[in-house]
Amino acid sequence: MMPQLQAAPLELIEEIRSCTQCSLHVGRDHPVVGIGDGRSGLLVLGEAPGAEEDRTGVPFVGRSGRLLRLILLQELGLEDDQLTISNVVRCRPPKNRTPTRIELATCWPFMERQIAFLQPRAILTVGNTPSRALLQTKEGITTLRGRTYDRHGVIVVPTFHPAAALRGRPEVEAALRSDVRLLRDVLGAGS
Ligand code: URA
């Protein structure tokens, strides 16, 4: 079998890049398909691209993304090229607002197909939007985080968005690190 080298099958990459199903496509530069090939068994899921991600098409490369990557590197020992990261919404919402329910629902089938392709053992959902979407709940991240969930055999670990840790709240970074250590235990247990 050919090794899997990209974060999504080629036809899905093409569909995401050419998608015009919601109004977010109007202002986008680069939609985010994702990086990594799932080898580590972990998929990191964010909300939507910000300015840097829209400019580059790569998820979590802005200030908060750099903090998240550092935490993943320090707590999991994974290098950047071992990370598989995507966003539940692929195009940047204006002024980084939260994606609407309709935008999220329109983009969601891409995520389902990407998860089916990557077959992660665990998913780290970063912030309210991906955590609620994956767990199909209206609960907020403060309530959801700190434990694991089983979604059709995939372990979901919800955690705070690193942007919250950058707003001068050290307890948020401590909680994020603690959730990532939980994730480490889950991944370790399955390997
Ligand atoms: N925040 C997200 O949720 N995703 C990104 O890619 C960047 C910031």
Side-chain angles (χ1 to χ4, degrees), residues 32 45-50 53 58-62 64-65 85-87 126 130 161:
V32 164
L45 268 192
E47 177 178 284
E53 292 78 20
V58 180
F60 282 108
V61 286
S64 64
I85 316 181
S86 192
N87 281 320
V126 176
H161 196 286

Side-chain angles (χ1 to χ4, degrees), residues 48 135 183:
L135 298 174
L183 178 68

Side-chain angles (χ1 to χ4, degrees), residues 2 13 17 30 34 37-38 48 77 112 129-130 138:
M2 285 282 287
I13 295 174
R17 289 195 176 142
H30 298 98
D37 61 8
E112 290 286 7
T129 302
K138 289 186 174 145

Side-chain angles (χ1 to χ4, degrees), residues 49-53 55-56 58-71 96 161-169 173 176:
E52 273 302 291
E53 292 78 20
R55 196 177 62 74
T56 57
V58 180
F60 282 108
V61 286
R63 201 165 153 244
S64 64
R66 288 198 298 276
L67 174 61
L68 179 67
R69 285 168 187 256
L70 179 71
I71 291 173
N96 296 343
H161 196 286
L166 290 172
R167 290 183 208 118
R169 293 174 59 201
E173 181 174 333
L176 213 162

Side-chain angles (χ1 to χ4, degrees), residues 10-83:
L10 291 177
E11 67 274 13
L12 180 55
I13 295 174
E14 196 37 56
E15 281 180 56
I16 292 172
R17 289 195 176 142
S18 58
C19 181
T20 56
Q21 290 184 69
C22 85
S23 60
L24 292 184
H25 81 277
V26 176
R28 77 163 175 239
D29 248 333
H30 298 98
V32 164
V33 171
I35 55 156
D37 61 8
R39 245 175 318 161
S40 67
L42 167 66
L43 171 61
V44 178
L45 268 192
E47 177 178 284
E52 273 302 291
E53 292 78 20
D54 179 60
R55 196 177 62 74
T56 57
V58 180
F60 282 108
V61 286
R63 201 165 153 244
S64 64
R66 288 198 298 276
L67 174 61
L68 179 67
R69 285 168 187 256
L70 179 71
I71 291 173
L72 292 170
L73 184 132
Q74 290 175 339
E75 304 292 347
L76 297 179
L78 290 179
E79 299 294 335
D80 248 15
D81 64 359
Q82 295 174 297
L83 291 174

